[in-house]
Amino acid sequence: MRILVINGPNINMLGIREPGIYGKNTFADLLSLLEQTARAENLEIEQFQSNHEGAIVDKIQESYGKIDGIVINPAAYTHTSVAILDALKAVSIPAVEVHISQVSAREAFRQISYPGMYCEKTIQGQGLDGYRQAILYLKETYGN
Ligand code: CA2
């Protein structure tokens, strides 16, 4: 099973600031967790991080016919991007949304998620483990 993990803007800065909200783990820790999960679960996991909305849209489009499941943390684009929502709808690949922080307990402007309107599940407030949980959900639901 081939899973694509997409991270949006500033996720590559994890661990550098705001440890109170996002924890002390770094982006390198996230990449290690993905590699460990791929080995342990016998999955092909590709990761993609971009600070650019169009690059994320391009990556989702390129996944069509190649990827079986998408885990996406759109970061700030969560709350603004109809383009990412439309790209997910266009490829129709099963997707799970992940947020490191508990967005439901944060500012009003974070209470809407456009990509989340497509995703079949949202995991939030679990730190980096949320990515592992999302991958396991996709494996259990769509793996063979
Ligand atoms: O909790 C999440 O995973 C978020 O997607 C993270 C986004 C935020 O805009 C969403 O509302 C919730 C922010 C990612 C930026 O991360 C930082 C990393 C280092 C320093 C400051 C922010």
Side-chain angles (χ1 to χ4, degrees):
M1 183 181 194
R2 297 154 301 177
I3 292 178
L4 172 64
V5 178
I6 299 175
N7 279 293
N10 299 306
I11 296 288
N12 56 321
M13 300 293 281
L14 273 184
I16 293 172
R17 280 185 51 247
E18 301 206 69
I21 298 174
Y22 300 115
K24 286 185 183 161
N25 290 311
T26 63
F27 185 60
D29 294 331
L30 172 57
L31 299 185
S32 303
L33 179 143
L34 297 178
E35 283 168 17
Q36 281 166 27
T37 307
R39 269 197 302 275
E41 301 296 331
N42 197 24
L43 296 165
E44 278 179 48
I45 299 181
E46 181 187 351
Q47 77 82 28
F48 179 76
Q49 188 277 328
S50 178
N51 297 324
H52 305 278
E53 184 178 22
I56 294 170
V57 169
D58 287 345
K59 190 68 185 175
I60 293 168
Q61 288 185 9
E62 287 161 16
S63 302
Y64 184 69
K66 298 183 191 152
I67 291 290
D68 305 305
I70 293 175
V71 172
I72 184 163
N73 182 348
Y77 290 139
T78 304
H79 318 300
T80 61
S81 184
V82 177
I84 293 175
L85 168 62
D86 286 345
L88 290 168
K89 284 183 175 174
V91 298
S92 194
I93 297 169
V96 177
E97 177 184 31
V98 171
H99 294 290
I100 297 164
S101 66
Q102 186 76 34
V103 280
S104 61
R106 298 182 64 189
E107 302 94 326
F109 68 84
R110 295 187 203 272
Q111 301 312 312
I112 190 159
S113 170
Y114 290 100
M117 292 174 193
Y118 171 80
C119 293
E120 38 193 270
K121 194 175 165 72
T122 296
I123 298 170
Q124 57 167 308
Q126 304 291 308
L128 297 190
D129 195 62
Y131 291 87
R132 196 184 59 84
Q133 293 174 33
I135 290 163
L136 292 182
Y137 169 82
L138 288 170
K139 183 185 174 188
E140 280 158 21
T141 311
Y142 298 101
N144 41 24

